[in-house]
Amino acid sequence: MTALQSLQPLGDRTRRGQIVSAIRQLVVTGQVTPGERLTETDLAGKLGVSRAPLREAIRDLVETGLLVAEPYKGLFVRDFTRKDLEELYSLRTALEQLAFREAWPHRTDALKEDLRERNRKLDAAIARGDDPDVAIEAELYLHSWCYEVSNHALLRQTW
């Protein structure tokens, strides 16, 4: 195993990353509901953060589609329809199938063990009942394997 293969993803240690994680958890756990309006003032006050890193975090969450910023109206939790979720999963399925086809010729014993270890981490996070963010990060870490191994730059960029 090379030194790079043994690297693990870094946790969100930046203030922006911590804010993204906190807001994402509110949405995922249903503490804020789809369509609910959020204000920077309330979020900054409740999180105990300044507005500069909060705005960066909001920008990240808008870019990923979890929040929606409507000019002159405000910031809202995105409302996902069944069709939205079906489209997301169908696209993700197609991309992952391509990523696995591209990755398959590059697999080695060490890479297969890396994939198994990622799966064990996800299983452990679920079994422990970790907060949703931990399980989501473990799931994304597992699924990123095929993109990393694919040797396909555009696929990695899309991921």
Side-chain angles (χ1 to χ4, degrees), residues 42-59:
D42 287 342
L43 288 169
K46 291 200 166 89
L47 292 170
V49 298
S50 67
R51 292 180 62 181
L54 176 63
R55 284 184 180 139
E56 292 175 8
I58 288 170
R59 197 170 330 135

Side-chain angles (χ1 to χ4, degrees), residues 132-151:
D133 254 9
V134 173
I136 289 169
E137 289 298 321
E139 191 265 344
L140 291 173
Y141 183 52
L142 170 66
H143 285 264
S144 69
W145 181 89
C146 59
Y147 295 91
E148 294 166 15
V149 175
S150 72
N151 199 28

Side-chain angles (χ1 to χ4, degrees), residues 27 30 32-37 76-80:
V27 174
V32 293
T33 58
E36 186 172 335
R37 187 172 190 265
F76 299 89
V77 177
R78 176 161 180 201
D79 187 7
F80 290 93

